[in-house]
Amino acid sequence: MAQAISLPALPTPHQHHHHYAAPPSQRPSRGAYSPSLLRAESPISAALRAGDDSSFRDARFLLSLLRQCGDLLHGEAEKSPEAERTDIAAARRLAPQLHSLAVRAGHATREPHVACALADLLERLGRGASGRRLLAEGDGEDWKDAVLWNKQVAMLAEAGDWDGAIGAFREMRARGVAADGYACARALHACGRAGRRREGRAVHAHALRAGLVDAHPLVPGFLAGMYAEGADVAAATTVLLRTTGAGVVAWNAVIACCVRLGLVDDALELAGRMARDAETSAVAEPTLATWNTVLSGCARHGRDREALAVVGRMLEQGLSPDAATVSSLLKSVANSGFLGHGTEVHGFFLRHGLAPDAYTGTALVDMYAKCGRLDLAQRVFDGLEHRNLATWNSLVAGHANAGQFDRALELVETMKRHRLDPNVTTWNGLITGYAMNGLSSQAMLLLRQIKAAGVAPNVVSWTSLISGSCHSGDYQGSFTFFSEMQQDGVQPSLVTMLVLLRACAGLALLNKGKELHCFALRRAYDGEVVVSTALVDMYAKAGSLTSAKRVFGRVQGKNLVCCNAMLTGLAVHGQAHEAAALFHDMWRSGLKPDGITFTALLTACRSMGLVTEAWEYFDNMEAKYGVAPTAEHHACMVDLLARRGYLDEAMAFIERSPGEPGASSWGALLTGCAIHGNLDLAESAARHLFRLEPHNSANYLAMMSLYEQHRMFDEAESLKYAMKARGVDARPGWSWTQAGRSVHVFEVDGGSPPHPETPEIYGEMSRLVSQIRMVGYVPDTGCIAYDVPEEEKERLLLCHTEKLAVVYGLIRSDKSRAPVRVVKNTRMCRDCHEVIKHVSALCGRQIILRDASRFHHFVDGKCSCDDYW
């Protein structure tokens, strides 16, 4: 059959150095041909199937066939689906034969245009690696022309081989080959994603010299994106404003990059600038895609209030939200728990006749479930025509998180009856529910059961278990589960790292935190701002402020969350002046403070008793910085005033505060009254506290201590009976220190078995107390409110848990001379503070103690708090 085809005689490349040009009637035109030569019924297709390649050795004709084969894969708008499927099947069948023909004829490695067309075809067939390898090989480097070099750079970048694309671009420029706009755009993209700013600026310079920045439509977007990838949004914005060809696609590309990097404020600013300046300048007007990108960033990074404002700007512009808008907005509503906004979005969706598909329906179910309205979630679920596995999983997770495990398991069985097999996401929802409700043992049991049933728990399963334990305060359990996770061969994700760092911060486990830091370095997580923020928080709360500052100083593109973590760390360490300096640096850099920023600032002022500075920050919060004071900020001011002894002013501040004062404000006043011995105001504060939080034992104990200090033992006894009648259990006081890899806990009232080394601890304490007595230490028996003899009070002082933990830490770290680190869950008493100051001087050791108020750094007989805490 192949011999019956009528074709002109085609000379081979080995015999002639020119290319044959077919007559117009036979030569396919690149712009106008229809790829009919390769369809199943064509004679050429038949010849290829028969294996006759003698007629196809002309490079130009083979190039045409390769392009036609690629166009068959592209499809045509006017074709029927059946015709399109036929063409695609024909192309997939004939492409390997054309590939083989090009290789046998020698064109694949000696004819640049054939190589480019073949690489294109391979990429469309999903064999991009083969295409890239083809371009990299060949009969020497001289066979490559500009088209081939540009194609190689573009293909490497499109495949995510950033280093390969950058290397190929550098080599082609070294050989004097001109780069076209497409190659420049892809090289800029590779430089941005690989973090190669130096190479990116070199490509930028070449594009400027070649006039490609304004001439090629893709270059402005990728150029600005390259700078945005390095968090240099200012440079990216400058590129967009100075480039005449920077259309909405370029602006959207930079906004999308900001969203991906978590630079939500920059994304909001860029979109706002587009909307603001579109009418008065050459700035492109934001489209629905622009706002949807910003909205997805708000939803992904917890900027839920801003999400609502974004939708408002979209509506002001006259744009109608689509399903993607609604889904992102519902996610923000679900994250924030704003049920009212969620129902408004649902109503808007219905009023505009948008029929919920499986995607938006799942978002609605998820929103109502996370907002605690499982009845509405069920109603939406029942009304959905199309449900997928994700829809069922959202409802299961909602019931599990609410503690309704029977209903959640019932839904799982219903899924099975509907021929939907629960997947690992289904079980993860249940595991998370158990763990977040303090049922870690049940969560672990379920995890083992699904593992036995053949469902492999993934990193989300383990992270949910670890996170739930951390959420319920079982930090030690978090590390136990992490150890099992590693034994199971599951590698921790970035989210796992964040949860574990939070556990380290909660327990002040500095050594464990350092191990996680090393792990983050090995996995290259340290470049993520969110990980650096968690490290800053961990080091600060674990007592190593120097390490926290070092990590913070290395963070590129610091955002508000990162700065707030550093501010909070400075505050709990009593570094108010450094905190103020950082705040003003933030403000000058354009970061807008939020409520957490001012909580940290006011806490820092409280730690040093800076009343004037605190009033200045508080008064300017709303007027200058646009942040409305909350109950937490009012409580910080009350705490500062009360600790400084301005009790009447603190009381007056509470009385003129907007709304009903909360327990935090009255608690701060009670603490100040206890410090300064003001019984009248303390009783007033206590009455409010007993009403607001009747089961908080700390309020009863504070009043009992104050009564006993005033020798009002009958009143103290009455409070004891009141606690018993209300079923209030006193929170035990404890302190702990870490020795090696073990944590040693010392509790009040024998809450746990006595420490096995108790005799040695008390022996060493007696020795230390005897020595510091000789240099002026006098026991402060006023810290003991019990009606007992002075000798008994002195003995009771020796039983304070922080003293026991410090002495044990000194014993176990005597050889290493490392700082002794102690964590205490209540405020340290005056006597313990004095003893530890003397011991630090006597032993020449640094002692770092974190109590309920702040950190105390004891060195050479002095404390960082200057005896104010």
Side-chain angles (χ1 to χ4, degrees), residues 618-642:
F618 185 84
D619 290 339
N620 286 327
M621 277 182 65
E622 192 162 14
K624 182 177 180 179
Y625 302 106
V627 179
T630 65
E632 188 174 12
H633 301 118
H634 284 84
C636 286
M637 288 302 299
V638 172
D639 197 15
L640 169 62
L641 295 170

Side-chain angles (χ1 to χ4, degrees), residues 414-749:
T414 307
M415 288 172 63
K416 294 177 182 178
R417 289 196 295 271
H418 282 76
R419 297 183 179 180
L420 275 175
D421 291 329
N423 62 1
V424 69
T425 305
T426 315
W427 301 117
N428 285 348
L430 280 161
I431 289 170
T432 303
Y434 281 125
M436 297 297 281
N437 282 280
L439 302 172
S440 296
S441 57
Q442 286 91 327
M444 190 66 205
L445 177 62
L446 177 59
L447 188 143
R448 287 172 178 154
Q449 286 174 341
I450 66 170
K451 186 177 177 182
V455 179
N458 58 16
V459 66
V460 177
S461 313
W462 287 102
T463 302
S464 298
L465 187 56
I466 294 168
S467 179
S469 298
C470 192
H471 177 77
S472 60
D474 183 14
Y475 299 116
Q476 198 65 40
S478 298
F479 290 107
T480 301
F481 295 135
F482 177 58
S483 178
E484 291 196 38
M485 171 185 175
Q486 290 179 302
Q487 292 172 10
D488 206 39
V490 178
Q491 290 298 317
S493 66
L494 187 146
V495 177
T496 317
M497 292 294 303
L498 297 177
V499 173
L500 289 169
L501 286 170
R502 182 154 56 94
C504 287
L507 286 173
L509 294 176
L510 182 61
N511 292 335
K512 179 64 73 174
K514 287 180 177 179
E515 291 177 14
L516 290 171
H517 190 177
C518 292
F519 185 88
L521 289 171
R522 291 195 299 271
R523 297 291 294 271
Y525 287 154
D526 59 308
E528 300 283 348
V529 176
V530 66
V531 174
S532 298
T533 301
L535 286 168
V536 169
D537 183 60
M538 180 276 295
Y539 277 122
K541 290 180 179 177
S544 182
L545 187 61
T546 302
S547 297
K549 291 179 183 177
R550 187 181 303 118
V551 173
F552 181 75
R554 293 173 179 170
V555 178
Q556 298 294 321
K558 299 178 180 69
N559 57 22
L560 181 61
V561 179
C562 186
C563 291
N564 282 347
M566 190 69 251
L567 272 176
T568 303
L570 292 168
V572 297
H573 284 270
Q575 304 295 317
H577 298 303
E578 285 192 54
L582 175 58
F583 171 74
H584 292 298
D585 286 344
M586 289 167 54
W587 179 250
R588 284 191 294 270
S589 70
L591 282 177
K592 182 181 177 182
D594 61 3
I596 297 173
T597 311
F598 283 100
T599 298
L601 272 176
L602 295 175
T603 301
C605 291
R606 183 202 67 186
S607 67
M608 292 184 67
L610 304 178
V611 177
T612 303
E613 290 83 349
W615 274 121
E616 182 179 352
Y617 289 128
F618 185 84
D619 290 339
N620 286 327
M621 277 182 65
E622 192 162 14
K624 182 177 180 179
Y625 302 106
V627 179
T630 65
E632 188 174 12
H633 301 118
H634 284 84
C636 286
M637 288 302 299
V638 172
D639 197 15
L640 169 62
L641 295 170
R643 286 175 187 272
R644 287 289 286 170
Y646 302 126
L647 297 174
D648 292 333
E649 188 175 349
M651 184 66 180
F653 183 82
I654 291 176
E655 291 174 343
R656 66 173 183 267
S657 296
E660 183 181 359
S664 54
S665 291
W666 291 115
L669 180 61
L670 178 58
T671 300
C673 292
I675 293 171
H676 298 285
N678 189 317
L679 185 59
D680 292 337
L681 276 181
E683 288 181 328
S684 176
R687 281 193 292 270
H688 290 282
L689 288 168
F690 294 157
R691 175 178 58 84
L692 293 170
E693 41 184 27
H695 296 286
N696 186 349
S697 62
N699 301 323
Y700 295 91
L701 295 175
M703 280 306 301
M704 286 165 56
S705 177
L706 198 54
Y707 279 135
E708 288 167 346
Q709 287 177 19
H710 285 74
R711 308 192 69 77
M712 299 172 66
F713 299 111
D714 291 341
E715 286 79 356
E717 198 67 23
S718 297
L719 277 182
K720 287 182 183 179
Y721 285 123
M723 286 181 66
K724 188 175 181 180
R726 292 182 176 181
V728 179
D729 293 325
R731 183 180 66 166
W734 50 257
S735 300
W736 64 258
T737 187
Q738 187 175 7
R741 303 189 71 86
S742 301
V743 173
H744 298 261
V745 182
F746 301 87
E747 294 187 66
V748 174
D749 298 330

Side-chain angles (χ1 to χ4, degrees), residues 746-762:
F746 301 87
E747 294 187 66
V748 174
D749 298 330
S752 61
H755 195 280
E757 298 174 72
T758 296
E760 184 181 356
I761 295 170
Y762 276 105

